[in-house]
């Protein structure tokens, strides 16, 4: 049995370029689908957030349109509402990396608001990649990698081949013109090699101990790749 740490957002609002706030949080599918895959494989999951706040789910991710139907939307909501892991997270500042075998970061725009600049999250992600722990990150979750900065100011994931929610997908979703910055651009500027696949289609990249997924549809295949690394 492995112990997997879920690094999750505590932000329920995303600050846009004009200073207005957009309702956000974590994307339901990106948390629940891997959570169920890891638990079904017999592994233990611990959720940690900035300040130990209960991670807020983006309500848009629980719409029937986003979830693939009303039945699946209700199922996702039930898991989020009843799983004790989501209800009682640890504070990132209290987490010791040596207690875990892998890290996973689900997306939603929330990580762009807090994890992208969170020192504790950055510390854990930096240590994880340097120590060879499996790291899984999906969709907007790679925003958290922006905080993984070494003492010399370089990004710990620079040079890694990854994928993330693309500029094209952000434009299609209607958010690109309103955003302060675009994830694909920031990751590229930080030295990461962002590979883009077809919009909305499953796309997973694996480079050494780092597994990344482009969008919500990539959550399930990413979870399977991360499970392979856990043996």
């Amino acid at each position: 049995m492995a112990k997997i740490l879920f690094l999750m957002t505590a932000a329920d609002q995303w600050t846009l370029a004009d200073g207005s706030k957009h309702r956000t949080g974590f994307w339901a599918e990106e948390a629940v689908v891997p959570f169920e895959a890891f638990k079904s494989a017999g592994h233990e999951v611990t959720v940690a957030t900035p300040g130990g706040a209960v991670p807020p789910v983006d309500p848009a991710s629980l719409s029937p349109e986003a979830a693939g139907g009303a039945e699946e939307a209700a199922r996702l909501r039930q898991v989020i509402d009843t799983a004790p892991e989501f209800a009682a997270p640890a504070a990132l500042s209290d987490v010791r990396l040596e207690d875990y075998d892998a890290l996973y970061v689900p997306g939603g725009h929330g990580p762009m608001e807090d994890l992208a600049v969170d020192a504790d999250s950055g510390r854990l992600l930096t240590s994880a990649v340097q120590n060879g722990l499996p790291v899984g990150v999906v969709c907007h979750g790679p925003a958290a990698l922006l905080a993984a900065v070494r003492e010399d100011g370089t990004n710990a994931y620079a040079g890694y081949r990854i994928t993330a929610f693309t500029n094209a997908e952000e434009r299609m979703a209607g958010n690109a013109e309103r955003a302060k910055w675009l994830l694909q651009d920031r990751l590229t500027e930080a030295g990461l090699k962002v590979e883009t696949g077809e919009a909305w289609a499953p796309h997973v990249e694996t480079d050494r101990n780092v597994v990344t997924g482009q969008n919500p549809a990539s959550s399930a295949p990413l979870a399977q790749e991360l499970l392979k690394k856990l043996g």
Side-chain angles (χ1 to χ4, degrees):
M1 181 189 74
K3 294 185 176 181
I4 304 172
L5 179 69
F6 272 40
L7 296 180
M8 295 187 68
T9 184
D12 64 1
Q13 293 187 321
W14 177 36
T15 306
L16 302 176
D18 63 1
S20 64
K21 305 287 187 179
H22 178 72
R23 182 80 183 274
T24 189
F26 69 88
W27 201 256
E29 178 180 359
E30 296 167 18
V32 173
V33 170
F35 172 78
E36 291 181 319
F38 300 150
K39 294 281 283 187
S40 294
H43 301 309
E44 180 181 318
V45 171
T46 297
V47 173
T49 64
V54 173
V57 62
D58 187 328
S61 69
L62 292 172
S63 69
E65 295 76 21
E71 185 176 333
E72 178 64 6
R75 194 188 73 80
L76 293 172
R77 179 179 290 280
Q78 182 182 27
V79 174
I80 292 165
D81 288 347
T82 59
E85 290 87 349
F86 294 118
L92 283 174
S93 57
D94 295 335
V95 172
R96 296 171 357 122
L97 187 67
E98 53 265 38
D99 294 336
Y100 297 95
D101 303 298
L103 270 64
Y104 174 70
V105 189
H109 284 107
M112 294 180 71
E113 185 77 12
D114 59 358
L115 297 185
V117 294
D118 187 276
D120 292 311
S121 176
R123 165 181 59 85
L124 292 164
L125 285 163
T126 298
S127 296
V129 74
Q130 291 176 344
N131 289 310
L133 261 69
V135 176
V137 197
V138 71
C139 201
H140 290 91
L145 303 181
L146 296 171
V149 179
R150 302 187 190 97
E151 289 185 10
D152 65 2
T154 61
N155 192 286
Y157 292 79
Y160 275 78
R161 187 185 70 255
I162 68 157
T163 189
F165 201 69
T166 65
N167 290 355
E169 287 168 319
E170 204 73 84
R171 281 193 294 271
M172 291 179 196
N175 296 312
E177 299 303 319
R178 303 188 298 154
K180 281 185 178 180
W181 47 272
L182 297 178
L183 182 57
Q184 182 183 339
D185 291 345
R186 279 286 177 90
L187 291 167
T188 301
E189 291 165 8
L192 287 78
K193 300 175 181 178
V194 183
E195 301 288 342
T196 62
E198 180 185 344
W200 313 115
H203 176 213
V204 173
E205 292 284 343
T206 300
D207 188 349
R208 290 159 277 183
N209 56 317
V210 179
V211 185
T212 50
Q214 180 172 313
N215 44 38
S218 307
S219 301
L222 182 150
Q224 294 308 311
E225 287 301 314
L226 200 62
L227 282 170
K228 290 178 188 176
K229 291 193 171 296
L230 291 169

